[in-house]
């Protein structure tokens, strides 16, 4: 029998103003992941796709990401890949936006610093504009680099940071700081639901082999039989979080009620010399290292205070560096087409 649709067609004003995604009751969430072809993004996409409850759209310009990272989902009915640069507006109907698009390795973000700033400013502005228009919840992957070369240790979310505004890292550090500002202003001014994660150094399978970040460099160098390049003084510290823990934290933040900013990272703190020694012990026992020059404004120490993530999200990392390094090395070994160096 034909339904009388006149009330639906004439619909009340309030219903008519609802975004389409709220009117069409879909059992699935539609989720946009910008930068979804990158390292963290592709692991996040895996987690969001598994279980079949979501439709996932990846928007990526493939500057540092690759289709290989998301190849398993291409052709899946719940998955869509768009070649898109976030410095241009994007029109899609979604319920959630995970905004990761931005080169993360210092080598790549310094390669075209003006573009990095544009990605952080215009890219975040465009994605917040989209969130406002379609009433999507928006999560920004900010960084521990907003703390700069920190004068407080470990870093809590209350610390305002020590950042050089005109240095070679500023396109990234200051870019992420203004991205956070934009998120909070869209929240206060336009009521956009925002979530801000401050991610500390994350590592794992699928990192670009020649990405330039320390864990990928050391593992690739050790496996290739090259010396690991420890930048002076070698006593600078970082705290390394395995990617599956990070993805878990990001999803908890998105699904929870707190805007953040919330530190997500592993509080285990290592000097770069200790990291090189761990790679030697766990990946290639014959490996060695040499000291090389450092780059300007390298933060001397970094370690997250994750009390807030524990209390608010019930989250803390599970995978230790000792467990994570061999998992990453196995992936690198396969991609480099190498045999197991440890057994040689
Ligand atoms: N991995 C970490 O240790 C770490 C730490 C702090 C913050 N983060 C943040 O997490 C996010 C992901 O980092 P990652 O380690 O996966 O890096 P990644 O370089 O592997 O991924 C970034 C992705 O963004 C894409 N991209 C870059 N510029 C773009 C643009 N203008 N338009 C569309 N796509 C663009 C790249 O092609 C890539 O797929 C970044 O925003 C980064 O700042 C990462
Ligand atoms: O976690 C973060 O918030 C940020 O960390 C990184 O910045 P950084 O910590 O400097 O990352 P790396 O380039 O991996 O350097 C880490 C340390 O390793 C040292 N390093 C790096 C490379 C290398 O070959 N050898 C080496 O000793 C560097 O001097 C530095 O002290 C990147 O900027 C971002 O991915 C991210 O936003």
């Amino acid at each position: 029998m034909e339904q009388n649709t006149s009330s639906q067609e004439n619909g009340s004003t309030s219903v008519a103003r609802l975004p389409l995604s709220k009117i069409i009751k879909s059992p699935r969430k539609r989720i946009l992941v910008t930068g979804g072809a990158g390292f963290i993004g592709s692991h996040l996409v895996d987690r969001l796709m598994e279980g079949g409850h979501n439709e996932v759209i990846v928007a990526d310009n493939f500057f540092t990401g690759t289709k290989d990272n998301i190849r398993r989902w291409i052709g899946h009915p719940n998955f869509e890949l768009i070649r898109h640069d976030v410095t241009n507006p994007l029109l899609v109907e979604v319920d959630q936006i995970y905004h990761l698009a931005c080169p993360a390795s210092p080598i790549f973000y310094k390669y075209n610093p003006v573009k990095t700033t544009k990605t952080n400013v215009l890219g975040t502005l465009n994605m917040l504009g989209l969130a406002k228009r379609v009433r999507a919840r928006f999560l920004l992957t900010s960084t521990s680099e907003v703390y700069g070369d920190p004068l407080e240790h470990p870093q809590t979310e209350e610390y305002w940071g020590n950042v050089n505004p005109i240095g070679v890292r500023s396109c990234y550090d200051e870019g992420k700081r203004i991205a956070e500002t934009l998120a909070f202003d869209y929240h206060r001014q336009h009521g956009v639901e925002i979530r801000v994660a401050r991610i500390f150094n994350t590592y794992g399978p699928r990192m670009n082999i020649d990405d330039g970040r320390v864990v990928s460099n050391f593992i690739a160098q050790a496996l290739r039989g090259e010396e690991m390049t420890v930048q002076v003084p070698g006593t600078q510290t970082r705290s390394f979080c395995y990617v599956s823990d990070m993805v878990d934290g990001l999803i908890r933040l998105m699904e929870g009620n707190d805007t953040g900013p919330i530190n997500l990272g592993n509080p285990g703190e290592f000097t770069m010399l200790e990291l090189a020694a761990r790679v030697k012990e766990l990946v290639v026992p014959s490996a060695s290292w040499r000291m090389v020059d450092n780059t300007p404004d390298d933060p001397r120490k970094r370690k997250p205070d994750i009390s807030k993530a524990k209390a608010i999200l019930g989250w803390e990392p599970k995978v230790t560096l000792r467990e994570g390094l061999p998992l990453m090395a196995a992936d690198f070994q396969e991609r480099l087409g190498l045999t197991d160096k440890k057994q040689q």
Side-chain angles (χ1 to χ4, degrees), residues 267-300:
E269 187 184 7
F270 298 86
T271 68
M272 295 312 105
L273 282 165
E274 285 168 341
L275 177 67
R278 281 281 199 290
V279 172
K280 179 177 167 65
E281 177 197 346
L282 300 167
V283 181
V284 182
S286 60
S288 58
W289 60 80
R290 68 190 155 98
M291 303 304 296
V292 298
D293 286 344
N294 205 331
T295 53
D297 296 337
D298 182 45
R300 282 161 292 178

Side-chain angles (χ1 to χ4, degrees), residues 219-282:
I219 289 183
Q221 287 161 341
L223 289 173
R224 285 168 168 154
E226 298 165 2
E227 287 176 313
M228 292 180 272
T229 50
V230 178
Q231 294 175 353
V232 292
T235 49
Q236 69 272 35
T237 68
R238 292 294 187 275
S239 305
F240 299 105
C241 185
Y242 193 69
V243 66
S244 56
D245 284 330
M246 183 55 57
V247 166
D248 188 43
L250 291 173
I251 292 175
R252 280 172 191 249
L253 177 60
M254 177 64 105
E255 298 300 331
N257 295 318
D258 198 276
T259 59
I262 291 193
N263 288 340
L264 293 178
N266 191 322
E269 187 184 7
F270 298 86
T271 68
M272 295 312 105
L273 282 165
E274 285 168 341
L275 177 67
R278 281 281 199 290
V279 172
K280 179 177 167 65
E281 177 197 346
L282 300 167

Side-chain angles (χ1 to χ4, degrees), residues 38-40 60-61 63-65 85-86 100 141 172 176 202 213:
F39 160 54
I40 299 179
D60 201 298
N61 71 351
F63 174 44
T64 53
D85 191 311
V86 292
L100 283 77
T141 52
Y172 185 78
K176 289 286 187 179
T202 300
R213 283 180 275 185

Side-chain angles (χ1 to χ4, degrees), residues 9-24:
E9 278 164 13
N10 297 333
S12 69
T13 325
S14 60
V15 170
R17 278 197 193 136
L18 279 172
L20 203 60
S21 60
K22 302 278 190 298
I23 295 170
I24 301 167

